[in-house]
Each structure stands twice: as C-alpha cells, then as structure tokens.
Amino acid sequence: AQSVTQPDIHITVSEGASLELRCNYSYGATPYLFWYVQSPGQGLQLLLKYFSGDTLVQGIKGFEAEFKRSQSSFNLRKPSVHWSDAAEYFCAVGGPHYGGSQGNLIFGKGTKLSVKP
Amino acid sequence: DTGVSQDPRHKITKRGQNVTFRCDPISEHNRLYWYRQTLGQGPEFLTYFQNEAQLEKSRLLSDRFSAERPKGSFSTLEIQRTEQGDSAMYLCASSSYRDVNYGYTFGSGTRLTVV
C-alpha cells in the first residue's frame, strides 16, 4: 500500500543550526512528492515539490529537499534554522493516477520542529 | 484573490447535533478537496470535486458525512449526528486542472470539537 513515513515525531534544533527532516515513501511508480509546513491552528503551506528532473529541489524560505529513488526518500533540509521555522512539517506523496483519483495526496504524520534560542 | 476561505474557524457542538462547514476556493480553481486532520496525524483525504461533480470519496467519509458543491464554486461539508470521534480539523484545498504541478492551496481549516 502507498504510504509516507516520517520517522521523527519531534525534533529540537538550535537557532542557526542545520536541519534535516526525514521522509520515506512507499509508492508503486514515480511519485509526486511534497513538503508542507503548518503553523499552530493554520492550514498547510507548500514548501516545495518534486515531479521529475533534478533530484535536488529548492523551495521557499530557504528549504531544499533531495529525492533519492534508491532509498525511497525525500528528506527536507535547511542550512541555518530561524526561530520562525518552528512549526509542523508534513511530507506527502501523490500522482496523477494515484489510487484512481485526480490528485489527492497521502500525508505522513508530521514532524514537529522546535527551535532553541 | 484572498486564497481559500473556510468558515467557521472553530465549532463546538454537542454529540448528536448536525454541523455544516463552508469552503470558498480560489475563484479560478475548479478542483476542490476536503481533508480531515486529527491530533498528531497528517491530513487524510475525504473527498474531491471537479467543478460541481463529486468524483471521489474516501472510505473515511461515512454515511453521516455529505459534501456538496452546487454551482462549482463554494462547497459545504455536513456531518450529521456528530460523534466524539468526529472532532478534528477539517481542511479544504483547491487547485486548477490546468496546473499540472499540483497547485494545491489549503485553507486555514475548521476545528470541530464534539462534546
């Protein structure tokens, strides 16, 4: 079955430190991959997405992610974390013919990021 | 364009009551999605519209749930005879079929608490 795993429920990093959030997926074909961020009580904002081509994807707010097909991973990275990055981060997978639908996504359970001053 | 709007932001209801939520998508978006997010989980797909047609429903959408998009613009999600297990954030998203890059835009959600 198609699924997304985010192994880390909660991560704490110091402001200015680098960040890597892990995401592994299970999908029968080349997936469409996404990272979203959610602040408390808010909806989801798209950080970046991968469909094809260059496996290193740049997103907003200084985030990037790398697609590694051999590892079924799509990890999110940021070289220097800011206090405002504290939020919950969700990885998602989908595709144009996923499950017969027209584009719904499967989300991981999320990783909560806390930033120490 | 003000993005995807959801109303109300918060709803507290007693078990057994009916509730209705509204979603106003981005005006040029013809696709509209409803997701449910419970505490500690990622969003889970509920249903999807293209224009006014409801094209897919998740098995999570029990008979007590009904969604409509009568004129292909705003959508409503109704839950009848609410149960405590319905307590969740209900998220709406919209996209355009012309945007093959999955230009999902999410609303801020409606948080439902069933007491």
Side-chain angles (χ1 to χ4, degrees):
Chain A
Q2 292 84 355
S3 65
V4 176
T5 301
Q6 293 181 246
D8 304 306
I9 297 174
H10 190 186
I11 285 182
T12 300
V13 300
S14 297
E15 191 169 15
S18 64
L19 171 70
E20 182 169 27
L21 302 182
R22 296 182 290 164
C23 172
N24 292 94
Y25 66 89
S26 171
Y27 191 75
T30 300
Y32 288 20
L33 293 159
F34 306 80
W35 275 100
Y36 285 86
V37 61
Q38 186 177 36
S39 297
Q42 300 298 314
L44 288 89
Q45 181 182 23
L46 179 66
L47 287 176
L48 47 77
K49 57 199 175 192
Y50 171 79
F51 297 140
S52 64
D54 192 347
T55 57
L56 185 63
V57 179
Q58 302 297 319
I60 62 171
K61 303 184 179 186
F63 286 92
E64 66 177 26
E66 186 171 13
F67 170 57
K68 293 185 177 180
R69 182 188 303 275
S70 61
Q71 298 176 19
S72 297
S73 70
F74 188 57
N75 294 348
L76 182 71
R77 301 193 294 246
K78 186 170 185 177
S80 177
V81 169
H82 188 262
W83 65 266
S84 61
D85 294 323
E88 191 149 22
Y89 292 79
F90 293 93
C91 181
V93 65
H97 301 294
Y98 175 80
S101 74
Q102 298 295 316
N104 63 295
L105 302 179
I106 298 292
F107 285 84
K109 293 185 177 182
T111 298
K112 183 177 180 179
L113 173 65
S114 297
V115 180
K116 292 189 300 185
Chain B
D1 188 0
T2 57
V4 177
S5 299
Q6 291 190 246
D7 184 69
R9 290 295 306 275
H10 303 275
K11 178 71 176 180
I12 300 174
T13 191
K14 292 183 178 179
R15 189 176 54 184
Q17 297 295 305
N18 299 345
V19 294
T20 300
F21 310 140
R22 177 180 170 122
C23 172
D24 287 89
I26 292 174
S27 56
E28 62 266 29
H29 284 183
N30 65 329
R31 291 180 172 175
L32 187 147
Y33 305 81
W34 285 98
Y35 284 78
R36 182 177 71 183
Q37 185 179 20
T38 53
L39 203 60
Q41 302 294 318
E44 297 172 293
F45 170 74
L46 292 178
T47 190
Y48 149 67
F49 290 85
Q50 181 157 305
N51 300 315
E52 66 275 10
Q54 188 172 18
L55 297 186
E56 186 173 357
K57 293 192 288 187
S58 161
R59 63 179 180 273
L60 293 175
L61 211 68
S62 76
D63 291 344
R64 296 184 297 106
F65 288 69
S66 63
E68 294 183 341
R69 196 183 183 196
K71 296 183 180 179
S73 56
F74 73 92
S75 175
T76 58
L77 177 67
E78 181 183 17
I79 308 175
Q80 296 181 328
R81 304 180 304 282
T82 53
E83 302 172 356
Q84 287 190 324
D86 297 330
S87 295
M89 174 80 89
Y90 290 84
L91 293 163
C92 177
S94 69
S95 70
S96 170
Y97 82 98
R98 292 190 181 89
D99 185 349
V100 297
N101 291 324
Y102 279 86
Y104 266 52
T105 300
F106 278 88
S108 296
T110 293
R111 180 166 295 284
L112 173 66
T113 303
V114 181
V115 298

